[in-house]
Amino acid sequence: MAAAARSFGPEREAEPAKEARVVGSELVDTYTVYIIQVTDGSHEWTVKHRYSDFHDLHEKLVAERKIDKSLLPPKKIIGKNSRSLVEKREKDLEVYLQALLATFPAVAPRVLAHFLHFHFYEINGITAALAEELFEKGEQLLGAGEVFAIRPLQLYAVTEQLQQGKPTCASGDAKTDLGHILDFTCRLKYLKVSGTEGPFGTSNIQEQLLPFDLSIFKSLHQVEISHCDAQRIRGLVASKPTLATMSVRFSATSMKEVLVPEASEFDEWEPAGAALEGTVTAVIPTWQALTALDLSHNSISEIDESVKLIPKIEFLDLSHNGVLVVDNLQHLYNLVHLDLSYNKLSFLEGVHTKLGNIKTLNLAGNLLGSLSGLHKLYSLVNLDLSDNRIEQMEEVRSIGSLPCLEHVALLNNPLSIIPDYRTKVLAQFGERASEVCLDNTVTTEKELDTVEVLKAIQKAKEVKSKLSNPEKKVSEDSRLSAAPCVRPSSSPPTVAPTSASLPQPILSNQGLSPLNPGILGDE
């Protein structure tokens, strides 16, 4: 059963004594490996060691801590792998480990802690190992300006350690002082927190369910969180004044959990700076520096009112969620790149009133059969509609008159199997057909010639229609020619990237697996 996470709070139960039991053994090549199960409260993990490892541990403890030399069962040369000897040794080694833990109940000596993998799974061991690593490499990492990768279990351990109110250096080794961690986190700018699916390592610890506090980070510009529980994360809002890029994936069930976790405490709230109307019980500060937000691969079903707290957002990724309706985005005046791919959108009526300045829009992998809601997105440059349910070529006319559209993707729609699909789609763009890149493929001269033939045929049909119906006006939507893209004279032409995904840092091979944030904000 998964280990239950200890809860935040001032009232804490006394720490249960740690236990180490030898639960079995296995023969590897010509020697026996003993399987040790370590228990620390609700957390359990297994460690494997051969007898020679026990002997080395004992020699060091005798030298460093003056323990009884006779405590460890003796070596046996003849018949060392016999079943009877192994079973007896299992019992003797368990007694030995229990005696050691009883001798050092508060903080285990470093050599014993490593032997039992405390530096991987136990709170004091984890923080001591992290503190020592940052003592040695912290300044180098900060100076390089790279992303620092840390596990939820490590953050949980630091949070627990701070709440215990114990000395920051319980082991007496200055290198393991908790102060090294706090000094580092105060100055760190780029952070990555990555959990695991299922138990961590050889333990029963479910990292994604552990609570932790991020308020120890005072200067974050970029944070990336994955495989955690957004409801159990505290202190992220403390980074509002500085955070420019945020990614929370495989972690949230709503946008509110991430952007306004304190909303559950108030009946009515409004963002700071908004005109207050009616009964408002709280004014929530905005994410004043945040320009890029990635909430992809979550279980978000709606774009809720919490977007009012991110007024400066330019890049928003909500792909791979369960969003049904495009809503509330009218509050994001600076939004130019939006990814809503692989959601559950089935209609787009009135979407232009929510996305007035959008340049890149990814709607791939939805349930769209009609494009009528896109015909007024006049600033749109890149549009991905692949993997939808668009059947009729007439639907393409809704986007054929968009004056700035340059990249369009329609692959894996029913209409993409129509004969001469490419030329028929390009014909909908009239005189701008040569400027449009369809499905990431540059338009050829042969295709343009075919488009001209299709336009001539269409024009002939229109003339014939006028002659047969002289009083019937041709609607604006049936015209093939499109107006040129008019841009403000004060700003040079720009071409947006073909994907609305957020800028991603580059992995580095340094010891703590940091990432390179050098491309932060380059879009």
Side-chain angles (χ1 to χ4, degrees):
M1 188 172 69
R6 299 165 185 168
S7 61
F8 290 119
E11 296 183 4
R12 308 178 60 84
E13 297 179 359
E15 291 186 34
K18 297 177 179 63
E19 295 182 357
R21 297 174 55 238
V22 179
V23 295
S25 60
E26 57 189 29
L27 190 64
V28 178
D29 295 330
T30 60
Y31 58 86
T32 300
V33 171
Y34 296 93
I35 303 170
I36 306 162
Q37 180 176 290
V38 185
T39 303
D40 178 22
S42 61
H43 294 172
E44 296 178 352
W45 62 92
T46 58
V47 184
K48 295 181 180 181
H49 286 295
R50 58 191 296 183
Y51 178 84
S52 60
D53 296 333
F54 281 89
H55 183 267
D56 292 343
L57 167 68
H58 188 62
E59 291 291 310
K60 291 176 182 177
L61 288 175
V62 168
E64 296 174 8
R65 296 303 182 97
K66 311 301 180 186
I67 67 169
D68 185 355
K69 288 184 179 181
S70 64
L71 196 58
L72 181 69
K75 287 185 178 181
K76 188 81 171 179
I77 305 300
I78 301 174
K80 62 181 180 179
N81 292 327
S82 67
R83 189 65 238 166
S84 58
L85 174 66
V86 168
E87 289 177 355
K88 182 179 185 306
R89 185 168 275 177
E90 287 176 5
K91 296 176 182 178
D92 292 343
L93 290 176
E94 180 173 319
V95 170
Y96 172 72
L97 290 174
Q98 287 296 100
L100 291 181
L101 290 176
T103 304
F104 307 105
V107 179
R110 178 188 177 93
V111 62
L112 177 59
H114 276 253
F115 184 86
L116 294 176
H117 288 186
F118 281 9
H119 56 302
F120 291 142
Y121 305 110
E122 189 263 344
I123 290 172
N124 296 314
I126 292 170
T127 54
L130 181 59
E132 184 171 353
E133 196 158 8
L134 293 177
F135 172 78
E136 296 173 352
K137 300 180 180 180
E139 290 300 326
Q140 177 186 345
L141 289 169
L142 291 172
E146 295 178 333
V147 173
F148 177 66
I150 192 169
R151 306 198 66 84
L153 181 54
Q154 291 173 298
L155 286 170
Y156 166 74
V158 173
T159 301
E160 290 285 299
Q161 187 93 332
L162 288 171
Q163 291 187 343
Q164 286 176 0
K166 294 181 178 180
T168 58
C169 187
S171 68
D173 185 350
K175 290 182 180 180
T176 64
D177 195 309
L178 196 62
H180 299 311
I181 299 175
L182 300 180
D183 176 66
F184 178 82
T185 57
C186 278
R187 296 185 286 154
L188 183 69
K189 292 184 178 180
Y190 310 106
L191 174 68
K192 179 178 181 180
V193 185
S194 298
T196 52
E197 292 187 81
F200 173 61
T202 65
S203 75
N204 67 341
I205 301 171
Q206 299 280 352
E207 268 197 311
Q208 72 274 26
L209 300 179
L210 293 175
F212 55 84
D213 194 333
L214 294 176
S215 61
I216 58 175
F217 297 92
K218 309 296 185 183
S219 307
L220 289 181
H221 288 189
Q222 173 181 314
V223 65
E224 181 180 349
I225 298 171
S226 65
H227 294 100
C228 297
D229 184 349
Q231 295 184 15
R232 297 175 185 263
I233 300 173
R234 289 190 178 183
L236 181 58
V237 294
S239 296
K240 280 184 178 181
T242 59
L243 198 62
T245 299
M246 177 164 58
S247 173
V248 180
R249 305 165 75 237
F250 301 103
S251 302
T253 58
S254 73
M255 297 182 71
K256 285 183 179 180
E257 289 175 1
V258 178
L259 298 176
V260 55
E262 63 268 49
S264 59
E265 302 175 15
F266 309 107
D267 295 329
E268 297 290 339
W269 61 270
E270 286 293 338
L276 303 182
E277 298 179 2
T279 304
V280 176
T281 56
V283 175
I284 308 293
T286 63
W287 295 81
Q288 57 210 57
L290 195 64
T291 58
L293 176 61
D294 180 355
L295 293 176
S296 63
H297 295 276
N298 285 297
S299 301
I300 296 170
S301 59
E302 64 173 328
I303 305 173
D304 59 47
E305 60 183 354
S306 63
V307 297
K308 293 190 288 187
L309 293 171
I310 50 173
K312 295 186 179 179
I313 281 292
E314 299 174 12
F315 304 85
L316 179 59
D317 188 347
L318 288 168
S319 63
H320 297 275
N321 278 286
V323 176
L324 299 168
V325 180
V326 179
D327 204 6
N328 284 312
L329 295 180
Q330 69 273 16
H331 301 291
L332 306 183
Y333 305 111
N334 299 297
L335 183 63
V336 290
H337 300 266
L338 176 63
D339 192 341
L340 285 170
S341 60
Y342 299 96
N343 277 277
K344 297 180 180 179
L345 300 173
S346 58
F347 66 95
L348 298 169
E349 292 300 328
V351 74
H352 66 280
T353 63
K354 312 287 197 312
L355 304 173
N357 301 314
I358 204 74
K359 290 185 177 179
T360 296
L361 180 59
N362 191 343
L363 295 171
N366 279 282
L367 309 173
L368 299 172
S370 171
L371 305 181
S372 60
L374 301 175
H375 65 290
K376 291 186 178 180
L377 295 180
Y378 299 123
S379 58
L380 194 60
V381 177
N382 307 292
L383 178 61
D384 191 343
L385 292 163
S386 54
D387 291 303
N388 274 284
R389 299 180 178 181
I390 305 164
E391 299 181 1
Q392 304 299 323
M393 194 62 64
E394 289 292 319
E395 294 297 334
V396 183
R397 292 191 179 184
S398 294
I399 60 174
S401 59
L402 295 179
C404 298
L405 195 57
E406 296 177 2
H407 297 88
V408 182
L410 286 164
L411 280 177
N412 297 323
N413 279 281
L415 64 73
S416 64
I417 63 173
I418 295 174
D420 300 321
Y421 147 76
R422 283 184 55 83
T423 52
K424 289 179 179 178
V425 169
L426 291 169
Q428 308 305 315
F429 293 88
E431 300 301 325
R432 294 192 62 249
S434 61
E435 302 172 23
V436 175
C437 177
L438 177 61
D439 298 329
N440 294 317
T441 302
V442 177
T443 305
T444 65
E445 288 298 326
K446 182 178 179 181
E447 286 176 330
L448 290 176
D449 291 342
T450 306
V451 168
E452 290 301 319
V453 172
L454 292 175
K455 285 162 56 180
I457 293 173
Q458 180 65 22
K459 188 172 182 179
K461 288 182 179 179
E462 291 175 0
V463 171
K464 183 177 180 180
S465 177
K466 286 181 181 179
L467 292 175
S468 59
N469 301 284
E471 296 182 359
K472 183 178 179 181
K473 295 183 180 180
V474 180
S475 66
E476 283 293 323
D477 289 341
S478 68
R479 296 182 183 177
L480 291 176
S481 59
C485 178
V486 180
R487 307 178 190 271
S489 59
S490 60
S491 60
T494 60
V495 177
T498 58
S499 172
S501 59
L502 299 179
Q504 294 295 321
I506 301 172
L507 280 170
S508 166
N509 292 323
Q510 293 217 8
L512 295 178
S513 301
L515 304 177
N516 182 358
I519 62 170
L520 179 64
D522 295 339
E523 189 68 18

